[in-house]
Amino acid sequence: MEHKVALSFSGGKDSCLALYYLQKKNVKVECLLTTVWTEEMKTFAHNEHIEQIRKQAYALALPLHTIETDFSTYEEKFVLKLSEVKDKYGLDGIAYGDIYLESHRIWGEGIAEKAGLEAFYPLWRDENQAKELLKDFVRLGFKAEIIKVNNQLPKAWVGRSIDELFIKDITQLQSVCPLGESGEYHTRVYDGPNFTYSLY
């Protein structure tokens, strides 16, 4: 049986890699779901303007649905939009790009349950496998750049490409996840094996 899902999409490396993995399995991604601040129309974690995400969705040849919200209504609005796209596309699941943080998985599964859907985590693995997953991202030919860092990484890393040199540098840092799973850095993907054209 082929599963039909929506993908929670930020425009970053984890979202795009999750999409690739789903597309290689017996899972049909019907649409992308992106949460944005109601006033600024920028994404929650990455602070990307929604127009940038729309460009990625076009290049990925998938419809994009936005969830305009704030902290106080985040979960409520997410479930409401999820229920809408569930009916529109006949979905049976929602997929996320989370990797190993159990609290994120619990939240995502709870949202899925409220919408009457199954939760999919195509990237889920042990924390010590994060480096290999990042290597896989580069090996597959994805192209991405860092657009945001927290205080654990040098500000000068904004603008860096995700490549072999980056993997070497970030794995030398103690207590920093190579994939930035705890928000150490965020990325914008502009090309890859599931893109129909490059955004650069």
Side-chain angles (χ1 to χ4, degrees):
M1 173 186 169
E2 182 181 64
H3 291 290
K4 298 172 70 174
V5 306
L7 172 64
S8 180
F9 186 78
S10 68
K13 59 179 174 29
D14 302 341
S15 294
C16 291
L17 187 59
L19 175 60
Y20 177 84
Y21 281 7
L22 290 165
Q23 290 170 328
K24 288 296 179 182
K25 297 178 180 179
N26 194 31
V27 178
K28 187 177 183 197
V29 179
E30 294 284 353
C31 65
L32 307 176
L33 275 179
T34 300
T35 51
V36 294
W37 297 102
T38 302
E39 292 184 4
E40 301 175 349
M41 292 303 288
K42 290 185 177 180
T43 58
F44 263 61
H46 293 206
N47 206 35
E48 283 273 68
H49 196 279
I50 190 59
E51 284 305 317
Q52 174 62 39
I53 307 298
R54 287 197 180 105
K55 289 176 183 177
Q56 290 173 300
Y58 288 142
L60 291 165
L62 285 169
L64 174 71
H65 295 271
T66 57
I67 305 169
E68 298 178 27
T69 185
D70 54 36
F71 278 124
S72 64
T73 60
Y74 191 95
E75 187 167 317
E76 175 188 345
K77 293 283 185 66
F78 202 113
V79 173
L80 182 62
K81 179 62 74 172
L82 197 49
S83 299
E84 288 177 12
V85 295
K86 172 188 175 182
D87 294 339
K88 181 179 176 68
Y89 297 101
L91 304 180
D92 52 38
I94 168 74
Y96 303 93
D98 296 296
I99 300 156
Y100 59 78
L101 292 180
E102 195 62 37
S103 60
H104 288 191
R105 181 159 190 153
I106 291 170
W107 184 89
E109 289 177 343
I111 291 292
E113 185 178 359
K114 288 179 180 179
L117 294 169
E118 184 179 350
F120 291 82
Y121 289 86
L123 303 185
W124 196 261
R125 59 205 62 216
D126 291 336
E127 185 175 352
N128 59 14
Q129 294 177 292
K131 180 180 177 181
E132 290 307 311
L133 196 58
L134 186 57
K135 283 184 174 180
D136 201 31
F137 178 83
V138 173
R139 180 186 62 80
L140 287 166
F142 282 100
K143 305 295 182 184
E145 62 184 359
I146 295 176
I147 57 172
K148 186 178 177 183
V149 297
N150 70 7
N151 57 14
Q152 291 177 274
L153 298 180
K155 289 184 178 179
W157 280 24
V158 172
R160 282 195 67 170
S161 296
I162 305 300
D163 52 20
E164 293 291 348
L165 179 58
F166 172 77
I167 295 173
K168 178 183 176 182
D169 288 346
I170 198 165
T171 51
Q172 291 176 347
L173 300 178
Q174 297 296 321
S175 71
V176 172
C177 172
L179 280 164
E181 180 71 345
S182 294
E184 292 94 335
Y185 69 99
H186 296 292
T187 58
R188 174 195 298 125
V189 181
Y190 56 89
D191 202 1
N194 47 7
F195 279 67
T196 58
Y197 56 87
S198 173
L199 293 176
Y200 276 1

